[in-house]
Amino acid sequence: MLRKNQTSISQDIEDIFIACTDNLTGFFAAIEAVYPKTEIQNCIIHQLRNSSKYVSYKDLKALMADLKAVYAAVDEPAALDALDTFAEHWDKKYPKISQSWRDNWANLSTYFKFPQALRRLIYTNNTIEGFNRQLRKVTKSKSVFPTDDSLFKMLYLAMIDITKKRTGRRQDWSMIHAQLAIYFEDRMPD
């Protein structure tokens, strides 16, 4: 909730190149409404978790290896071939898995448009979830906050502490930045 003297974060952000979501209902529509040029990538890890939810333990290792051939493919045509192979092998026993991948393919395959280094950044939103988990850990120990400001202050201090641990620059950031500049040339700020 925003107070009258606060501004919405979306007022400060002009553009989003790529958004990785966990495919919750409404995310795609909300992002598209505010940032229509944004590429949406569903989190592969979430898709894998959903795919393995009802798989027998004895089948899990082989099934996940076959799914890895899909999401780790060189390009989208190879991934679709791997998905067809997966379906031939597993659809009799687990027909909903390949169907789920096909139903969500438009947003599961976005990262195939980009080089490998960039794919590693956008195939999952686990980094964001880890950050949120650390914030929840801080607030969990204290069940009641006297004021909203005390909660905001505690979260602010926790964010400062969390981000201190993540201040290192990615080793391949220069290359990734250059690739983003190519793919989003007309939208990349100077």
Side-chain angles (χ1 to χ4, degrees):
M1 183 168 77
L2 297 172
R3 294 184 176 183
K4 289 181 183 176
N5 63 351
Q6 293 175 315
T7 58
S8 167
I9 194 166
S10 65
Q11 291 173 342
D12 297 331
I13 299 173
E14 295 175 16
D15 194 5
I16 298 174
F17 297 152
I18 306 164
C20 184
T21 72
D22 53 6
N23 201 22
L24 290 174
T25 305
F27 258 160
F28 177 76
I31 292 168
E32 191 175 52
V34 180
Y35 303 105
K37 295 180 183 177
T38 300
E39 300 273 354
I40 303 293
Q41 171 64 48
N42 285 353
C43 177
I44 297 293
I45 303 300
H46 280 85
Q47 183 70 25
L48 290 169
R49 285 182 197 148
N50 290 335
S51 297
S52 64
K53 200 182 308 187
Y54 303 108
V55 174
S56 169
Y57 182 75
K58 68 182 178 80
D59 294 334
L60 193 58
K61 192 172 183 179
L63 184 133
M64 294 307 271
D66 288 349
L67 278 177
K68 186 173 184 175
V70 176
Y71 68 84
V74 183
D75 56 19
E76 189 173 1
L80 287 168
D81 288 344
L83 185 56
D84 289 339
T85 303
F86 175 88
E88 288 171 13
H89 188 251
W90 293 104
D91 271 5
K92 286 183 179 134
K93 199 167 193 178
Y94 306 107
K96 297 215 178 227
I97 295 174
S98 66
Q99 188 59 49
S100 173
W101 281 76
R102 290 183 200 288
D103 291 347
N104 293 298
W105 190 253
N107 292 338
L108 285 171
S109 63
T110 301
Y111 76 127
F112 286 116
K113 297 176 183 176
F114 305 104
Q116 193 65 37
L118 194 49
R119 287 184 198 179
R120 282 194 299 269
L121 281 179
I122 64 173
Y123 84 102
T124 183
N125 63 357
N126 279 352
T127 304
I128 296 164
E129 288 184 346
F131 181 79
N132 290 334
R133 186 173 39 255
Q134 289 177 316
L135 291 177
R136 279 192 305 275
K137 191 187 316 181
V138 169
T139 60
K140 185 178 177 183
S141 62
K142 188 168 179 114
S143 60
V144 177
F145 291 90
T147 66
D148 285 350
D149 283 341
S150 64
L151 171 63
F152 291 139
K153 286 177 184 176
M154 181 177 261
L155 289 173
Y156 174 76
L157 292 172
M159 286 190 298
I160 297 295
D161 189 45
I162 294 165
T163 54
K164 279 182 186 175
K165 298 172 189 170
R166 298 176 185 240
T167 56
R169 184 178 168 159
R170 275 191 67 104
Q171 189 173 9
D172 55 353
W173 178 247
S174 296
M175 181 178 66
I176 291 169
H177 188 270
Q179 291 170 347
L180 287 169
I182 292 167
Y183 284 94
F184 300 103
E185 179 180 14
D186 58 326
R187 295 163 54 196
M188 189 83 148
D190 294 329

